Amino acid sequence: MERQSTYTATATIDEQGILTGWSEGAQRLLGHEASEVVGRPASALLAAEAGSARRTLAGHDRWNGTVPLRHRDGRRLEQGLLAHRRTSGTGVVDWLVVTAVADRPQPPRGEPLEEWTFIQSPFPLAIFDTEQRLMRANRRLERALSLPEAAMRGLRLTHISPGPASEETDRTMRQVLETGEPQEMRTGVVPDLSLPTVLTPLKDGTGRVRAVCLAAHRRAPESARRGVEGETGTHTGTASDLARAAQELAEATVPRLADFMAVDLLDAPRSPADSADVGPLVLRRAALHVVPDDAVGASGAGVGQAIAYEPGSPPADCLASGNAVLYDTSDPLIAAWAAVDPAAAWLHAYGTRALMLVPVLTEGSTLGVALFGRHRRFEPFGPEDLRIAEELTAHAATGLHSARRQSRARTTTMSLQRSLLPHTLPEQAALEIATRYLPAATKAGVGGDWFDVIPLSGARVALVVGDVVGHGIRASATMGRLRTAVRTLADVDLPADELLTHLDDLVLRLAADEGSADPAAETAGGIGTTCLYAVYDPVSRHCTLARAGHPPPAVVTPDGTVRFIDVPPGPPLGLGGLPFEAFETELPEGSLLALYTDGLLEARDHDIDEALDKLFGALGRPASTLDAVCDRVLTELLSHRPDDDIALLVARTRALHADRVAAWELDSDPSVVARARKHTSDQLSIWGLDEAAFTTELMVSELVTNAIRYGRPPIQLRLIHQDSTLICEVYDSSGTTPHMRRARIFDEGGRGLLLVAQLAKRWGTRHDRVGKTVWAEQSLTLG
């Protein structure tokens, strides 16, 4: 009879290190007969110092690793061993040491064992290359899709099985290729599968991702899922947030497997190299479940509380070794831990009889530790309990790792976005304003919606609302670029339609720059972004608007009428070459203007017509404050956290009446400068601003002189008194922009604008369709 290619060698060793058992396989391995070694120290069989072996086993109930052994003929053998610490019913403790030995060469890997495994797996399997094209498909996937591998080879998933699920899986596959981290998701790519699809990166020896393996799992019949495994198969690892993922593991295992269960997580994953750190390990309790429920208070640390495990304590050892461990609470090690460590107070509080510790491991890193206890049932945890706990914890670890990564990415994105959005609204008197921003509650992450309020010259105010395509940090970064660009363009007083044209050009350049670096990032530069830009003038009460693919604003007039402002839509930004059109309308004082992003009208529990009715109803009802209007709009239209970001800006118009504005037509003659100063002095006296007369007359004199000398008629002087601000404006029909220059010592001119810049808080030039206006704004200190 042919000898088997693999055999098992076993030995037993008592707590004093004496060999008490020796199998035939052990004799084949090392050449010693049982009579030669039983009763002798096991250290005599080692080809290394015995003390290191004792230190390695100390505090462990199970150990595996490679050990140097000495053959009877003197040869040294490096052998992988698995050792189990056992306690008999009479309390006798010993070690069972086992190893599998191959006495003939094994077949090369992949020829044909791995090939058989792949082809005959009961689960659908596929391998995609770095271009996300199918390389291999097993028989189960061929049957599920009713397609032979030859028909699918070289195609992307979206072409093999078109639909939203395939598109989502295709996007996730790209993330796996880029990050090198596996992803688990629920999809319907394979028709009869409803449990998670796992996408795993396949790496070469250097760690480079060479392909992605798609593995789908079919839901087993209910009759086939028995005990704890069946009860928990669909509960763990499915939550999108960290706390829920941990709590699902606890709820799935209590009371089916344990009477007490807690999940303690590290603030950051640890690698095996970190295990040598000294000092207590600080973890945070992420989940807790106990029977009976009213006993939770006795557990010591509640959910969210920090727990410190001292070096040498069972949880710290479990984290350091990465191995699950079973304990009886009569074990001296557990008794010593419970006597001194507050983190173990629950053992005495519940009268715990058995303890099981399982490390939460994923991707070669330790996330934390899961603690299982029994105090109601008398039987200790056994090997099968440990196997189930390890499997469930490993499954939950995938969800915890994904949730933590998504949480950190979302936190980073939200922090970036908050830093880019206005923290406070600027001071201005033309509009009363309230805003709201709600980030999306989806896995896609935070988007690139934004709003802004920009004071302009002549007491005018610009309102901006925009929506960048996509989600995540790239969308937020693009939003920040576009918001900065809008503020810059608004600062030079571009008309609304011209501003959008310049913004459109910017998006095209951003897309070209990012597309050259990453051809897959076709929307990274902001192509498809929508934007609404509005400028309100409190003097004329006119509002000029232009939009790029954005929803139209709503307005509520003082008589309670609610309507949309019919602004020409314009294309989204980034298409290039298409015109934008400005629209001007007069808004009575006290009108309510509402600007928003499309997430407000796209709630999944109502259609667009119902959403518009709710929006109009919420805006049309009287409210004491604009904050109340914002809250009412969101309450009416949203029944849950939105699927897309929402930016909402509500403004109530104010007006500057004739008693706050004075204007004069001036001849293009140097002699009118004195008359302009006289008009200014008289008007300031009427407004009770005599203290500002000297400074204002100087600025008016310089601005009017420049208009006469370098501009063209007609020339107009206008003064605007707005709260604590006084604005001087001089218009002429020339398009030439004035510039400050450095005047030499003996020059007779050239100091006018320099003087204006020194006296004014700010000054500038804005161009109209015909001509320009040079303006200067000063702050008034009223006594």
Side-chain angles (χ1 to χ4, degrees):
M1 181 176 179
E2 184 179 352
R3 297 177 65 189
Q4 294 182 345
S5 61
T6 302
Y7 63 90
T8 302
T10 65
T12 55
I13 307 170
D14 67 16
E15 283 210 297
Q16 286 70 47
I18 303 300
L19 278 162
T20 57
W22 191 253
S23 71
E24 181 182 348
Q27 178 180 341
R28 289 177 58 186
L29 175 64
L30 295 182
H32 297 282
E33 295 185 2
S35 59
E36 296 174 336
V37 293
V38 171
R40 299 180 58 192
S43 58
L45 301 177
L46 297 176
E49 193 265 318
S52 62
R54 286 193 294 270
R55 289 192 295 272
T56 300
L57 294 176
H60 295 283
D61 280 351
R62 186 179 64 184
W63 179 87
N64 67 286
T66 301
V67 175
L69 302 176
R70 185 70 66 189
H71 192 274
R72 189 171 186 268
D73 62 12
R75 287 182 291 120
R76 178 187 173 103
L77 302 177
E78 298 287 340
Q79 189 68 34
L81 302 180
L82 175 61
H84 301 276
R85 185 173 185 268
R86 306 182 302 182
T87 303
S88 69
T90 59
V92 177
V93 177
D94 69 354
W95 286 87
L96 171 66
V97 182
V98 299
T99 184
V101 185
D103 66 355
R104 68 173 61 178
Q106 297 297 304
R109 296 187 63 184
E111 294 185 6
L113 188 58
E114 280 83 357
E115 184 71 5
W116 294 340
T117 302
F118 179 86
I119 293 174
Q120 300 176 27
S121 170
F123 303 114
L125 298 174
I127 297 175
F128 293 82
D129 63 19
T130 54
E131 294 182 358
Q132 296 171 252
R133 299 181 182 277
L134 186 134
M135 301 169 62
R136 296 294 311 276
N138 72 346
R139 292 170 183 169
R140 179 65 184 86
L141 185 65
E142 288 179 315
R143 289 197 300 271
L145 295 178
S146 300
L147 286 171
E149 182 190 82
M152 297 184 283
R153 191 179 300 121
L155 297 178
R156 294 180 70 135
L157 187 60
T158 50
H159 293 150
I160 297 170
S161 179
S166 293
E167 293 171 359
E168 181 184 357
T169 305
D170 195 70
R171 288 191 296 269
T172 306
M173 194 182 301
R174 170 52 52 188
Q175 295 178 15
V176 173
L177 287 166
E178 292 174 349
T179 64
E181 296 181 354
Q183 294 281 344
E184 179 176 318
M185 53 191 298
R186 287 184 176 276
T187 67
V189 175
V190 182
D192 63 341
L193 304 180
S194 57
L195 283 186
T197 295
V198 179
L199 297 170
T200 305
L202 304 180
K203 303 177 182 180
D204 60 19
T206 66
R208 181 180 177 184
V209 178
R210 294 291 189 175
V212 175
C213 177
L214 181 152
H217 300 273
R218 184 166 51 135
R219 184 187 295 276
E222 186 65 33
S223 60
R225 302 197 303 269
R226 294 187 174 90
V228 178
E229 291 177 286
E231 295 291 333
T232 60
T234 60
H235 287 289
T236 57
T238 64
S240 60
D241 77 300
L242 194 65
R244 183 59 187 155
Q247 192 62 33
E248 282 183 347
L249 175 61
E251 292 173 356
T253 52
V254 175
R256 299 174 181 88
L257 179 66
D259 303 322
F260 171 97
M261 198 276 165
V263 180
D264 297 340
L265 298 179
L266 295 156
D267 288 336
R270 291 167 55 93
S271 67
D274 298 326
S275 60
D277 293 347
V278 296
L281 277 175
V282 179
L283 294 86
R284 193 166 300 276
R285 182 141 292 173
L288 175 65
H289 201 38
V290 187
V291 288
D293 291 339
D294 58 8
V296 171
S299 62
V303 173
Q305 292 184 308
I307 304 173
Y309 289 120
E310 294 293 335
S313 64
D317 286 346
C318 177
L319 286 165
S321 67
N323 295 320
V325 191
L326 296 178
Y327 291 104
D328 188 290
T329 51
S330 62
D331 188 310
L333 180 65
I334 299 299
W337 175 49
V340 299
D341 194 339
W346 61 275
L347 294 171
H348 287 313
Y350 297 124
T352 303
R353 299 183 178 90
L355 173 65
M356 180 164 54
L357 302 178
V358 178
V360 183
L361 304 172
T362 184
E363 293 298 298
S365 298
T366 303
L367 304 182
V369 62
L371 300 91
F372 302 84
R374 283 181 175 175
H375 52 267
R376 282 194 150 192
R377 63 192 84 184
F378 289 93
E379 66 273 18
F381 289 114
E384 182 64 14
D385 298 319
L386 186 64
R387 183 189 67 80
I388 293 173
E390 286 182 311
E391 289 183 2
L392 295 177
T393 303
H395 187 55
T398 302
L400 288 166
H401 182 59
S402 177
R404 172 172 274 167
R405 185 173 61 250
Q406 292 172 6
S407 175
R408 288 181 175 173
R410 181 179 177 85
T411 299
T412 300
T413 304
M414 291 191 68
S415 297
L416 173 62
Q417 190 172 53
R418 288 195 184 102
S419 70
L420 296 174
L421 289 173
H423 295 176
T424 58
L425 298 178
E427 293 183 7
Q428 49 80 35
L431 296 166
E432 178 189 357
I433 295 174
T435 62
R436 293 290 186 274
Y437 181 85
L438 270 68
T442 65
K443 290 183 178 180
V446 179
D449 293 19
W450 91 94
F451 62 85
D452 212 346
V453 179
I454 309 170
L456 302 177
S457 64
R460 299 167 306 133
V461 177
L463 303 177
V464 192
V465 174
D467 184 356
V468 174
V469 173
H471 293 82
I473 197 165
R474 298 183 77 168
S476 292
T478 301
M479 176 270 284
R481 287 173 158 182
L482 297 183
R483 177 174 177 253
T484 300
V486 170
R487 294 185 71 89
T488 302
L489 295 169
D491 195 48
V492 296
D493 265 313
L494 285 180
D497 52 344
E498 291 185 24
L499 183 142
L500 290 183
T501 299
H502 283 278
L503 202 62
D504 185 52
D505 293 339
L506 172 65
V507 169
L508 284 172
R509 290 196 299 272
L510 291 177
D513 289 345
E514 296 204 9
S516 63
D518 182 1
E522 66 274 3
T523 62
I527 291 178
T529 293
T530 67
C531 183
L532 172 64
Y533 184 77
V535 177
Y536 174 70
D537 186 344
V539 177
S540 65
R541 297 189 298 280
H542 283 191
C543 186
T544 305
L545 310 97
R547 62 186 177 116
H550 202 82
V555 64
V556 185
T557 53
D559 62 3
T561 302
V562 186
R563 62 181 174 86
F564 282 126
I565 299 178
D566 192 19
V567 185
L573 299 175
L575 300 186
L578 299 176
F580 300 96
E581 186 177 346
F583 179 84
E584 186 170 316
T585 185
E586 184 175 343
L587 298 178
E589 183 178 5
S591 296
L592 195 68
L593 193 61
L595 287 66
Y596 52 89
T597 52
D598 58 7
L600 182 67
L601 302 178
E602 294 181 351
R604 59 176 175 263
D605 54 356
H606 53 239
D607 59 28
I608 186 65
D609 291 332
E610 183 182 355
L612 293 176
D613 290 341
K614 289 183 176 182
L615 175 63
F616 278 21
L619 291 173
R621 294 200 301 275
S624 57
T625 65
L626 292 188
D627 283 319
V629 174
C630 290
D631 292 339
R632 180 194 296 156
V633 168
L634 296 177
T635 300
E636 289 286 336
L637 273 78
L638 302 177
S639 58
H640 45 70
R641 287 289 298 277
D643 297 328
D644 193 8
D645 289 18
I646 294 175
L648 173 64
L649 187 155
V650 176
R652 180 174 285 122
T653 63
R654 296 168 176 156
L656 280 175
H657 299 287
D659 61 340
R660 290 301 185 102
V661 181
W664 301 271
E665 297 291 335
L666 302 176
D667 296 330
S668 183
D669 188 317
S671 64
V672 303
V673 175
R675 192 183 314 154
R677 288 198 298 266
K678 181 67 167 60
H679 289 323
T680 300
S681 177
D682 292 344
Q683 187 61 51
L684 294 185
S685 181
I686 294 172
W687 285 338
L689 303 176
D690 297 286
E691 293 183 2
F694 178 76
T695 300
T696 308
E697 286 182 41
L698 280 176
M699 290 194 294
V700 167
S701 179
E702 296 298 337
L703 295 178
V704 171
T705 298
N706 273 353
I708 294 171
R709 182 175 297 174
Y710 304 109
R712 290 199 303 262
I715 298 172
Q716 184 189 68
L717 168 65
R718 185 169 74 160
L719 300 180
I720 302 173
H721 179 206
Q722 185 183 33
D723 296 337
S724 60
T725 301
L726 180 64
I727 302 169
C728 305
E729 296 184 340
V730 176
Y731 167 84
D732 74 84
S733 61
S734 169
T736 305
T737 301
H739 297 283
M740 282 193 300
R741 66 182 178 87
R742 183 186 298 273
R744 292 185 293 272
I745 295 175
F746 298 107
D747 285 351
E748 294 182 2
R751 297 178 178 85
L753 288 181
L754 180 60
L755 179 62
V756 170
Q758 296 299 314
L759 295 175
K761 179 175 71 173
R762 61 189 188 119
W763 75 281
T765 303
R766 69 172 179 270
H767 289 267
D768 301 315
R769 298 296 180 185
V770 177
K772 67 178 181 298
T773 299
V774 183
W775 55 272
E777 181 180 310
Q778 57 179 311
S779 297
L780 300 175
T781 304
L782 302 178

